[in-house]
Amino acid sequence: MVLSTTVSQRKHIKRKAPRGFLKRVFKRQKPHLRLETSGDLLMHLNCLLFVHRLAEESRTNACENKCGIIKKEHVLAAAKVILKKSRGS
């Protein structure tokens, strides 16, 4: 049986941030770091915003190259642009 490579349309989307997972990851990576109660939610929001900006910039790069599919090169170029913007401001 061949597994499908596409995402199922009936996939249940979680409405909450995985707070326990985020806290556990932060504690493993930076045990000395002390976050306030909603710090993990702010980090999750920051990550989601970055991914959203990356997707928009990647789509723009693909359209400029007249390509219907977003490729690895488009994402890498978009990441460079986003990081330059975040460091510059």
PDB file of all heavy atoms in Angstrom, residues 47-83:
ATOM      1  N   CYS A  47       7.253  32.634  16.815  1.00  0.00           N
ATOM      2  CA  CYS A  47       7.568  31.587  15.843  1.00  0.00           C
ATOM      3  C   CYS A  47       6.522  31.534  14.735  1.00  0.00           C
ATOM      4  O   CYS A  47       6.862  31.432  13.548  1.00  0.00           O
ATOM      5  CB  CYS A  47       7.672  30.242  16.554  1.00  0.00           C
ATOM      6  SG  CYS A  47       8.082  28.877  15.473  1.00  0.00           S
ATOM      7  N   LEU A  48       5.260  31.617  15.101  1.00  0.00           N
ATOM      8  CA  LEU A  48       4.191  31.595  14.105  1.00  0.00           C
ATOM      9  C   LEU A  48       4.266  32.791  13.166  1.00  0.00           C
ATOM     10  O   LEU A  48       4.063  32.661  11.952  1.00  0.00           O
ATOM     11  CB  LEU A  48       2.827  31.553  14.789  1.00  0.00           C
ATOM     12  CG  LEU A  48       2.468  30.257  15.514  1.00  0.00           C
ATOM     13  CD1 LEU A  48       1.145  30.423  16.237  1.00  0.00           C
ATOM     14  CD2 LEU A  48       2.430  29.097  14.558  1.00  0.00           C
ATOM     15  N   LEU A  49       4.582  33.951  13.711  1.00  0.00           N
ATOM     16  CA  LEU A  49       4.706  35.148  12.874  1.00  0.00           C
ATOM     17  C   LEU A  49       5.878  35.024  11.906  1.00  0.00           C
ATOM     18  O   LEU A  49       5.790  35.434  10.750  1.00  0.00           O
ATOM     19  CB  LEU A  49       4.858  36.393  13.749  1.00  0.00           C
ATOM     20  CG  LEU A  49       3.615  36.804  14.516  1.00  0.00           C
ATOM     21  CD1 LEU A  49       3.946  37.936  15.489  1.00  0.00           C
ATOM     22  CD2 LEU A  49       2.516  37.215  13.578  1.00  0.00           C
ATOM     23  N   PHE A  50       6.984  34.445  12.375  1.00  0.00           N
ATOM     24  CA  PHE A  50       8.136  34.239  11.499  1.00  0.00           C
ATOM     25  C   PHE A  50       7.782  33.286  10.359  1.00  0.00           C
ATOM     26  O   PHE A  50       8.106  33.550   9.196  1.00  0.00           O
ATOM     27  CB  PHE A  50       9.325  33.694  12.290  1.00  0.00           C
ATOM     28  CG  PHE A  50      10.485  33.328  11.417  1.00  0.00           C
ATOM     29  CD1 PHE A  50      11.306  34.311  10.899  1.00  0.00           C
ATOM     30  CD2 PHE A  50      10.735  32.009  11.100  1.00  0.00           C
ATOM     31  CE1 PHE A  50      12.370  33.985  10.068  1.00  0.00           C
ATOM     32  CE2 PHE A  50      11.788  31.670  10.275  1.00  0.00           C
ATOM     33  CZ  PHE A  50      12.613  32.659   9.761  1.00  0.00           C
ATOM     34  N   VAL A  51       7.112  32.196  10.675  1.00  0.00           N
ATOM     35  CA  VAL A  51       6.730  31.232   9.644  1.00  0.00           C
ATOM     36  C   VAL A  51       5.773  31.868   8.641  1.00  0.00           C
ATOM     37  O   VAL A  51       5.879  31.635   7.434  1.00  0.00           O
ATOM     38  CB  VAL A  51       6.120  29.965  10.287  1.00  0.00           C
ATOM     39  CG1 VAL A  51       5.501  29.050   9.252  1.00  0.00           C
ATOM     40  CG2 VAL A  51       7.190  29.217  11.069  1.00  0.00           C
ATOM     41  N   HIS A  52       4.862  32.707   9.124  1.00  0.00           N
ATOM     42  CA  HIS A  52       3.926  33.391   8.228  1.00  0.00           C
ATOM     43  C   HIS A  52       4.665  34.334   7.279  1.00  0.00           C
ATOM     44  O   HIS A  52       4.405  34.354   6.069  1.00  0.00           O
ATOM     45  CB  HIS A  52       2.896  34.150   9.060  1.00  0.00           C
ATOM     46  CG  HIS A  52       1.824  34.795   8.258  1.00  0.00           C
ATOM     47  ND1 HIS A  52       0.917  34.075   7.511  1.00  0.00           N
ATOM     48  CD2 HIS A  52       1.514  36.090   8.062  1.00  0.00           C
ATOM     49  CE1 HIS A  52       0.099  34.899   6.902  1.00  0.00           C
ATOM     50  NE2 HIS A  52       0.441  36.131   7.215  1.00  0.00           N
ATOM     51  N   ARG A  53       5.609  35.130   7.833  1.00  0.00           N
ATOM     52  CA  ARG A  53       6.393  36.030   6.986  1.00  0.00           C
ATOM     53  C   ARG A  53       7.242  35.258   5.994  1.00  0.00           C
ATOM     54  O   ARG A  53       7.384  35.661   4.833  1.00  0.00           O
ATOM     55  CB  ARG A  53       7.304  36.915   7.844  1.00  0.00           C
ATOM     56  CG  ARG A  53       6.588  38.119   8.389  1.00  0.00           C
ATOM     57  CD  ARG A  53       7.536  39.016   9.129  1.00  0.00           C
ATOM     58  NE  ARG A  53       7.564  38.528  10.508  1.00  0.00           N
ATOM     59  CZ  ARG A  53       8.608  38.590  11.311  1.00  0.00           C
ATOM     60  NH1 ARG A  53       9.722  39.127  10.923  1.00  0.00           N
ATOM     61  NH2 ARG A  53       8.537  38.123  12.535  1.00  0.00           N
ATOM     62  N   LEU A  54       7.790  34.125   6.432  1.00  0.00           N
ATOM     63  CA  LEU A  54       8.605  33.287   5.550  1.00  0.00           C
ATOM     64  C   LEU A  54       7.769  32.729   4.405  1.00  0.00           C
ATOM     65  O   LEU A  54       8.209  32.727   3.256  1.00  0.00           O
ATOM     66  CB  LEU A  54       9.225  32.145   6.356  1.00  0.00           C
ATOM     67  CG  LEU A  54      10.173  31.219   5.622  1.00  0.00           C
ATOM     68  CD1 LEU A  54      11.413  31.973   5.180  1.00  0.00           C
ATOM     69  CD2 LEU A  54      10.560  30.056   6.509  1.00  0.00           C
ATOM     70  N   ALA A  55       6.557  32.312   4.693  1.00  0.00           N
ATOM     71  CA  ALA A  55       5.677  31.779   3.652  1.00  0.00           C
ATOM     72  C   ALA A  55       5.306  32.861   2.638  1.00  0.00           C
ATOM     73  O   ALA A  55       5.314  32.612   1.430  1.00  0.00           O
ATOM     74  CB  ALA A  55       4.416  31.197   4.287  1.00  0.00           C
ATOM     75  N   GLU A  56       4.996  34.061   3.119  1.00  0.00           N
ATOM     76  CA  GLU A  56       4.646  35.152   2.209  1.00  0.00           C
ATOM     77  C   GLU A  56       5.816  35.536   1.310  1.00  0.00           C
ATOM     78  O   GLU A  56       5.658  35.713   0.100  1.00  0.00           O
ATOM     79  CB  GLU A  56       4.197  36.383   3.003  1.00  0.00           C
ATOM     80  CG  GLU A  56       2.826  36.262   3.598  1.00  0.00           C
ATOM     81  CD  GLU A  56       2.424  37.520   4.337  1.00  0.00           C
ATOM     82  OE1 GLU A  56       3.233  38.472   4.426  1.00  0.00           O
ATOM     83  OE2 GLU A  56       1.289  37.552   4.824  1.00  0.00           O
ATOM     84  N   GLU A  57       6.992  35.657   1.911  1.00  0.00           N
ATOM     85  CA  GLU A  57       8.178  36.043   1.133  1.00  0.00           C
ATOM     86  C   GLU A  57       8.554  34.944   0.149  1.00  0.00           C
ATOM     87  O   GLU A  57       8.958  35.232  -0.986  1.00  0.00           O
ATOM     88  CB  GLU A  57       9.337  36.337   2.095  1.00  0.00           C
ATOM     89  CG  GLU A  57      10.523  36.972   1.448  1.00  0.00           C
ATOM     90  CD  GLU A  57      10.294  38.408   1.027  1.00  0.00           C
ATOM     91  OE1 GLU A  57       9.511  39.115   1.677  1.00  0.00           O
ATOM     92  OE2 GLU A  57      10.901  38.817   0.017  1.00  0.00           O
ATOM     93  N   SER A  58       8.410  33.690   0.543  1.00  0.00           N
ATOM     94  CA  SER A  58       8.713  32.564  -0.356  1.00  0.00           C
ATOM     95  C   SER A  58       7.752  32.551  -1.541  1.00  0.00           C
ATOM     96  O   SER A  58       8.165  32.310  -2.679  1.00  0.00           O
ATOM     97  CB  SER A  58       8.606  31.240   0.386  1.00  0.00           C
ATOM     98  OG  SER A  58       9.508  31.192   1.445  1.00  0.00           O
ATOM     99  N   ARG A  59       6.485  32.823  -1.275  1.00  0.00           N
ATOM    100  CA  ARG A  59       5.496  32.872  -2.348  1.00  0.00           C
ATOM    101  C   ARG A  59       5.813  34.008  -3.314  1.00  0.00           C
ATOM    102  O   ARG A  59       5.716  33.853  -4.535  1.00  0.00           O
ATOM    103  CB  ARG A  59       4.098  33.042  -1.766  1.00  0.00           C
ATOM    104  CG  ARG A  59       2.990  32.986  -2.802  1.00  0.00           C
ATOM    105  CD  ARG A  59       1.622  32.966  -2.160  1.00  0.00           C
ATOM    106  NE  ARG A  59       1.438  33.931  -1.109  1.00  0.00           N
ATOM    107  CZ  ARG A  59       1.030  35.193  -1.291  1.00  0.00           C
ATOM    108  NH1 ARG A  59       0.767  35.630  -2.491  1.00  0.00           N
ATOM    109  NH2 ARG A  59       0.880  35.996  -0.269  1.00  0.00           N
ATOM    110  N   THR A  60       6.244  35.140  -2.775  1.00  0.00           N
ATOM    111  CA  THR A  60       6.621  36.271  -3.621  1.00  0.00           C
ATOM    112  C   THR A  60       7.813  35.914  -4.504  1.00  0.00           C
ATOM    113  O   THR A  60       7.824  36.224  -5.697  1.00  0.00           O
ATOM    114  CB  THR A  60       6.970  37.497  -2.752  1.00  0.00           C
ATOM    115  OG1 THR A  60       5.860  37.784  -1.905  1.00  0.00           O
ATOM    116  CG2 THR A  60       7.303  38.700  -3.594  1.00  0.00           C
ATOM    117  N   ASN A  61       8.810  35.239  -3.919  1.00  0.00           N
ATOM    118  CA  ASN A  61       9.980  34.813  -4.700  1.00  0.00           C
ATOM    119  C   ASN A  61       9.586  33.845  -5.802  1.00  0.00           C
ATOM    120  O   ASN A  61      10.094  33.928  -6.921  1.00  0.00           O
ATOM    121  CB  ASN A  61      11.027  34.158  -3.796  1.00  0.00           C
ATOM    122  CG  ASN A  61      11.721  35.154  -2.903  1.00  0.00           C
ATOM    123  OD1 ASN A  61      11.647  36.355  -3.129  1.00  0.00           O
ATOM    124  ND2 ASN A  61      12.383  34.654  -1.881  1.00  0.00           N
ATOM    125  N   ALA A  62       8.695  32.931  -5.502  1.00  0.00           N
ATOM    126  CA  ALA A  62       8.254  31.961  -6.511  1.00  0.00           C
ATOM    127  C   ALA A  62       7.503  32.667  -7.638  1.00  0.00           C
ATOM    128  O   ALA A  62       7.693  32.334  -8.824  1.00  0.00           O
ATOM    129  CB  ALA A  62       7.373  30.899  -5.865  1.00  0.00           C
ATOM    130  N   CYS A  63       6.686  33.653  -7.302  1.00  0.00           N
ATOM    131  CA  CYS A  63       5.945  34.391  -8.335  1.00  0.00           C
ATOM    132  C   CYS A  63       6.880  35.217  -9.204  1.00  0.00           C
ATOM    133  O   CYS A  63       6.679  35.323 -10.414  1.00  0.00           O
ATOM    134  CB  CYS A  63       4.894  35.293  -7.699  1.00  0.00           C
ATOM    135  SG  CYS A  63       3.521  34.379  -6.978  1.00  0.00           S
ATOM    136  N   GLU A  64       7.907  35.808  -8.595  1.00  0.00           N
ATOM    137  CA  GLU A  64       8.882  36.583  -9.368  1.00  0.00           C
ATOM    138  C   GLU A  64       9.629  35.713 -10.374  1.00  0.00           C
ATOM    139  O   GLU A  64       9.969  36.171 -11.454  1.00  0.00           O
ATOM    140  CB  GLU A  64       9.884  37.258  -8.435  1.00  0.00           C
ATOM    141  CG  GLU A  64       9.319  38.435  -7.685  1.00  0.00           C
ATOM    142  CD  GLU A  64      10.296  38.995  -6.674  1.00  0.00           C
ATOM    143  OE1 GLU A  64      11.405  38.429  -6.510  1.00  0.00           O
ATOM    144  OE2 GLU A  64       9.949  40.002  -6.028  1.00  0.00           O
ATOM    145  N   ASN A  65       9.877  34.461  -9.995  1.00  0.00           N
ATOM    146  CA  ASN A  65      10.572  33.524 -10.882  1.00  0.00           C
ATOM    147  C   ASN A  65       9.613  32.804 -11.817  1.00  0.00           C
ATOM    148  O   ASN A  65      10.019  31.885 -12.521  1.00  0.00           O
ATOM    149  CB  ASN A  65      11.359  32.497 -10.063  1.00  0.00           C
ATOM    150  CG  ASN A  65      12.490  33.131  -9.298  1.00  0.00           C
ATOM    151  OD1 ASN A  65      12.939  34.219  -9.631  1.00  0.00           O
ATOM    152  ND2 ASN A  65      12.940  32.461  -8.260  1.00  0.00           N
ATOM    153  N   LYS A  66       8.342  33.194 -11.787  1.00  0.00           N
ATOM    154  CA  LYS A  66       7.294  32.590 -12.609  1.00  0.00           C
ATOM    155  C   LYS A  66       7.249  31.071 -12.408  1.00  0.00           C
ATOM    156  O   LYS A  66       7.173  30.289 -13.350  1.00  0.00           O
ATOM    157  CB  LYS A  66       7.502  32.938 -14.077  1.00  0.00           C
ATOM    158  CG  LYS A  66       7.357  34.418 -14.326  1.00  0.00           C
ATOM    159  CD  LYS A  66       7.544  34.780 -15.761  1.00  0.00           C
ATOM    160  CE  LYS A  66       7.368  36.289 -15.899  1.00  0.00           C
ATOM    161  NZ  LYS A  66       7.872  36.799 -17.132  1.00  0.00           N
ATOM    162  N   CYS A  67       7.296  30.705 -11.150  1.00  0.00           N
ATOM    163  CA  CYS A  67       7.272  29.292 -10.775  1.00  0.00           C
ATOM    164  C   CYS A  67       5.996  29.055  -9.956  1.00  0.00           C
ATOM    165  O   CYS A  67       5.685  29.808  -9.039  1.00  0.00           O
ATOM    166  CB  CYS A  67       8.510  28.951  -9.961  1.00  0.00           C
ATOM    167  SG  CYS A  67       8.665  27.233  -9.532  1.00  0.00           S
ATOM    168  N   GLY A  68       5.270  28.002 -10.285  1.00  0.00           N
ATOM    169  CA  GLY A  68       4.023  27.709  -9.582  1.00  0.00           C
ATOM    170  C   GLY A  68       4.216  26.976  -8.273  1.00  0.00           C
ATOM    171  O   GLY A  68       3.305  26.886  -7.460  1.00  0.00           O
ATOM    172  N   ILE A  69       5.426  26.479  -8.041  1.00  0.00           N
ATOM    173  CA  ILE A  69       5.709  25.697  -6.843  1.00  0.00           C
ATOM    174  C   ILE A  69       6.797  26.402  -6.043  1.00  0.00           C
ATOM    175  O   ILE A  69       7.808  26.839  -6.595  1.00  0.00           O
ATOM    176  CB  ILE A  69       6.174  24.275  -7.219  1.00  0.00           C
ATOM    177  CG1 ILE A  69       5.063  23.562  -7.986  1.00  0.00           C
ATOM    178  CG2 ILE A  69       6.580  23.488  -5.986  1.00  0.00           C
ATOM    179  CD1 ILE A  69       5.498  22.236  -8.564  1.00  0.00           C
ATOM    180  N   ILE A  70       6.590  26.515  -4.745  1.00  0.00           N
ATOM    181  CA  ILE A  70       7.611  27.097  -3.869  1.00  0.00           C
ATOM    182  C   ILE A  70       8.684  26.048  -3.640  1.00  0.00           C
ATOM    183  O   ILE A  70       8.417  24.965  -3.115  1.00  0.00           O
ATOM    184  CB  ILE A  70       7.004  27.558  -2.537  1.00  0.00           C
ATOM    185  CG1 ILE A  70       5.965  28.640  -2.777  1.00  0.00           C
ATOM    186  CG2 ILE A  70       8.096  28.052  -1.603  1.00  0.00           C
ATOM    187  CD1 ILE A  70       5.204  29.055  -1.547  1.00  0.00           C
ATOM    188  N   LYS A  71       9.900  26.370  -4.041  1.00  0.00           N
ATOM    189  CA  LYS A  71      11.021  25.436  -3.920  1.00  0.00           C
ATOM    190  C   LYS A  71      11.923  25.840  -2.766  1.00  0.00           C
ATOM    191  O   LYS A  71      11.776  26.905  -2.169  1.00  0.00           O
ATOM    192  CB  LYS A  71      11.814  25.415  -5.229  1.00  0.00           C
ATOM    193  CG  LYS A  71      11.004  24.912  -6.401  1.00  0.00           C
ATOM    194  CD  LYS A  71      11.826  24.897  -7.661  1.00  0.00           C
ATOM    195  CE  LYS A  71      10.988  24.410  -8.829  1.00  0.00           C
ATOM    196  NZ  LYS A  71      11.719  24.503 -10.090  1.00  0.00           N
ATOM    197  N   LYS A  72      12.872  24.962  -2.500  1.00  0.00           N
ATOM    198  CA  LYS A  72      13.816  25.172  -1.406  1.00  0.00           C
ATOM    199  C   LYS A  72      14.579  26.490  -1.581  1.00  0.00           C
ATOM    200  O   LYS A  72      14.805  27.217  -0.616  1.00  0.00           O
ATOM    201  CB  LYS A  72      14.792  23.998  -1.363  1.00  0.00           C
ATOM    202  CG  LYS A  72      15.848  24.082  -0.309  1.00  0.00           C
ATOM    203  CD  LYS A  72      16.765  22.871  -0.389  1.00  0.00           C
ATOM    204  CE  LYS A  72      17.920  22.984   0.562  1.00  0.00           C
ATOM    205  NZ  LYS A  72      18.822  21.833   0.469  1.00  0.00           N
ATOM    206  N   GLU A  73      14.945  26.797  -2.808  1.00  0.00           N
ATOM    207  CA  GLU A  73      15.699  28.023  -3.090  1.00  0.00           C
ATOM    208  C   GLU A  73      14.889  29.268  -2.736  1.00  0.00           C
ATOM    209  O   GLU A  73      15.434  30.256  -2.241  1.00  0.00           O
ATOM    210  CB  GLU A  73      16.104  28.092  -4.565  1.00  0.00           C
ATOM    211  CG  GLU A  73      17.050  26.992  -4.990  1.00  0.00           C
ATOM    212  CD  GLU A  73      16.356  25.682  -5.321  1.00  0.00           C
ATOM    213  OE1 GLU A  73      15.175  25.720  -5.709  1.00  0.00           O
ATOM    214  OE2 GLU A  73      16.992  24.631  -5.176  1.00  0.00           O
ATOM    215  N   HIS A  74      13.580  29.217  -2.990  1.00  0.00           N
ATOM    216  CA  HIS A  74      12.721  30.351  -2.668  1.00  0.00           C
ATOM    217  C   HIS A  74      12.667  30.577  -1.157  1.00  0.00           C
ATOM    218  O   HIS A  74      12.705  31.720  -0.689  1.00  0.00           O
ATOM    219  CB  HIS A  74      11.311  30.136  -3.208  1.00  0.00           C
ATOM    220  CG  HIS A  74      11.265  29.943  -4.689  1.00  0.00           C
ATOM    221  ND1 HIS A  74      10.510  28.956  -5.278  1.00  0.00           N
ATOM    222  CD2 HIS A  74      11.886  30.584  -5.701  1.00  0.00           C
ATOM    223  CE1 HIS A  74      10.659  29.015  -6.585  1.00  0.00           C
ATOM    224  NE2 HIS A  74      11.499  30.003  -6.869  1.00  0.00           N
ATOM    225  N   VAL A  75      12.578  29.485  -0.411  1.00  0.00           N
ATOM    226  CA  VAL A  75      12.494  29.595   1.057  1.00  0.00           C
ATOM    227  C   VAL A  75      13.811  30.112   1.627  1.00  0.00           C
ATOM    228  O   VAL A  75      13.824  30.981   2.510  1.00  0.00           O
ATOM    229  CB  VAL A  75      12.115  28.237   1.679  1.00  0.00           C
ATOM    230  CG1 VAL A  75      12.112  28.318   3.192  1.00  0.00           C
ATOM    231  CG2 VAL A  75      10.758  27.775   1.170  1.00  0.00           C
ATOM    232  N   LEU A  76      14.938  29.601   1.117  1.00  0.00           N
ATOM    233  CA  LEU A  76      16.238  30.054   1.615  1.00  0.00           C
ATOM    234  C   LEU A  76      16.469  31.533   1.316  1.00  0.00           C
ATOM    235  O   LEU A  76      16.969  32.281   2.162  1.00  0.00           O
ATOM    236  CB  LEU A  76      17.355  29.208   1.007  1.00  0.00           C
ATOM    237  CG  LEU A  76      17.402  27.748   1.468  1.00  0.00           C
ATOM    238  CD1 LEU A  76      18.466  26.985   0.707  1.00  0.00           C
ATOM    239  CD2 LEU A  76      17.647  27.669   2.955  1.00  0.00           C
ATOM    240  N   ALA A  77      16.094  31.964   0.119  1.00  0.00           N
ATOM    241  CA  ALA A  77      16.234  33.382  -0.225  1.00  0.00           C
ATOM    242  C   ALA A  77      15.335  34.240   0.658  1.00  0.00           C
ATOM    243  O   ALA A  77      15.730  35.324   1.104  1.00  0.00           O
ATOM    244  CB  ALA A  77      15.902  33.595  -1.694  1.00  0.00           C
ATOM    245  N   ALA A  78      14.143  33.770   0.927  1.00  0.00           N
ATOM    246  CA  ALA A  78      13.209  34.509   1.782  1.00  0.00           C
ATOM    247  C   ALA A  78      13.737  34.602   3.211  1.00  0.00           C
ATOM    248  O   ALA A  78      13.615  35.650   3.855  1.00  0.00           O
ATOM    249  CB  ALA A  78      11.845  33.833   1.764  1.00  0.00           C
ATOM    250  N   ALA A  79      14.332  33.535   3.708  1.00  0.00           N
ATOM    251  CA  ALA A  79      14.879  33.543   5.066  1.00  0.00           C
ATOM    252  C   ALA A  79      16.002  34.571   5.190  1.00  0.00           C
ATOM    253  O   ALA A  79      16.097  35.287   6.186  1.00  0.00           O
ATOM    254  CB  ALA A  79      15.377  32.155   5.439  1.00  0.00           C
ATOM    255  N   LYS A  80      16.837  34.671   4.159  1.00  0.00           N
ATOM    256  CA  LYS A  80      17.919  35.659   4.179  1.00  0.00           C
ATOM    257  C   LYS A  80      17.358  37.075   4.216  1.00  0.00           C
ATOM    258  O   LYS A  80      17.848  37.931   4.951  1.00  0.00           O
ATOM    259  CB  LYS A  80      18.813  35.480   2.957  1.00  0.00           C
ATOM    260  CG  LYS A  80      19.683  34.250   3.028  1.00  0.00           C
ATOM    261  CD  LYS A  80      20.536  34.108   1.782  1.00  0.00           C
ATOM    262  CE  LYS A  80      21.322  32.821   1.818  1.00  0.00           C
ATOM    263  NZ  LYS A  80      22.107  32.625   0.589  1.00  0.00           N
ATOM    264  N   VAL A  81      16.318  37.324   3.441  1.00  0.00           N
ATOM    265  CA  VAL A  81      15.709  38.655   3.401  1.00  0.00           C
ATOM    266  C   VAL A  81      15.084  38.989   4.742  1.00  0.00           C
ATOM    267  O   VAL A  81      15.274  40.095   5.279  1.00  0.00           O
ATOM    268  CB  VAL A  81      14.640  38.729   2.280  1.00  0.00           C
ATOM    269  CG1 VAL A  81      13.818  39.991   2.384  1.00  0.00           C
ATOM    270  CG2 VAL A  81      15.306  38.631   0.919  1.00  0.00           C
ATOM    271  N   ILE A  82      14.377  38.054   5.328  1.00  0.00           N
ATOM    272  CA  ILE A  82      13.712  38.296   6.613  1.00  0.00           C
ATOM    273  C   ILE A  82      14.737  38.536   7.721  1.00  0.00           C
ATOM    274  O   ILE A  82      14.569  39.433   8.555  1.00  0.00           O
ATOM    275  CB  ILE A  82      12.769  37.132   6.966  1.00  0.00           C
ATOM    276  CG1 ILE A  82      11.580  37.129   6.006  1.00  0.00           C
ATOM    277  CG2 ILE A  82      12.284  37.224   8.400  1.00  0.00           C
ATOM    278  CD1 ILE A  82      10.678  35.937   6.143  1.00  0.00           C
ATOM    279  N   LEU A  83      15.814  37.760   7.726  1.00  0.00           N
ATOM    280  CA  LEU A  83      16.835  37.950   8.760  1.00  0.00           C
ATOM    281  C   LEU A  83      17.545  39.290   8.599  1.00  0.00           C
ATOM    282  O   LEU A  83      17.880  39.939   9.581  1.00  0.00           O
ATOM    283  CB  LEU A  83      17.838  36.805   8.723  1.00  0.00           C
ATOM    284  CG  LEU A  83      17.290  35.462   9.219  1.00  0.00           C
ATOM    285  CD1 LEU A  83      18.324  34.364   9.057  1.00  0.00           C
ATOM    286  CD2 LEU A  83      16.867  35.565  10.668  1.00  0.00           C
TER     287      LEU A  83
END
